[in-house]
Amino acid sequence: MNRNHFSLVICSLIFVSVILGCDGMSHVSGEVYDSENWPINEASVKFSAGHDEKYPCEIKTSVDGSFNCGLTHAPFSGVPLHITVSKTGYKVFQMDFTSGEAHRKAEGNQRFRIVLENE
């Protein structure tokens, strides 16, 4: 193999390694309320890539019910995402969506508005 071919092979391998090593990122933010429109403090928010709960982000809501959570996943727009919000005394909220939907929501500065119903 001559020097030019060798250099081309090395450059190609580096390019493929960089592409395969890239990660995607999804972010969700919003507020959690009760059925009377009061913010819920200390609700548990779990945001994960799919139901197998890969790469989870787990946080609690603040006093005003707000949350912000992000995670890294495969670099595709169709990655299945899952959010679960829970608090003692309330029914568990669960929602499935894709990384593309999360990205479009974030680009439009839209936030999740989650209402937990009493048990």
Side-chain angles (χ1 to χ4, degrees), residues 20-27 47-50 54-55 70-81 98-100 102-103:
L20 293 178
C22 293
D23 288 327
M25 174 76 176
S26 290
H27 180 263
F47 179 44
S48 59
K54 287 184 180 177
Y55 320 110
L71 55 83
T72 303
H73 53 72
F76 307 109
S77 64
V79 174
L81 302 176
T98 66
S99 54
H103 183 70

Side-chain angles (χ1 to χ4, degrees), residues 29-31 66-68 105 109-113:
S29 61
E31 295 82 29
S66 65
F67 65 90
N68 289 293
K105 194 169 189 88
N109 292 323
Q110 297 174 324
R111 296 170 60 83
F112 285 84
R113 186 181 197 299

Side-chain angles (χ1 to χ4, degrees), residues 7-85:
S7 296
L8 180 62
V9 169
I10 294 299
C11 288
S12 297
L13 288 174
I14 291 171
F15 177 75
V16 169
S17 297
V18 168
I19 294 299
L20 293 178
C22 293
D23 288 327
M25 174 76 176
S26 290
H27 180 263
V28 293
S29 61
E31 295 82 29
V32 178
Y33 297 95
D34 65 15
S35 57
E36 295 181 12
N37 209 32
W38 289 98
I40 298 178
N41 183 31
E42 294 289 314
S44 296
V45 177
K46 185 172 188 177
F47 179 44
S48 59
H51 290 287
D52 55 1
E53 301 183 351
K54 287 184 180 177
Y55 320 110
C57 173
E58 298 180 62
I59 57 168
K60 299 278 188 179
T61 57
S62 61
V63 174
D64 64 355
S66 65
F67 65 90
N68 289 293
C69 205
L71 55 83
T72 303
H73 53 72
F76 307 109
S77 64
V79 174
L81 302 176
H82 183 75
I83 189 168
T84 302
V85 181

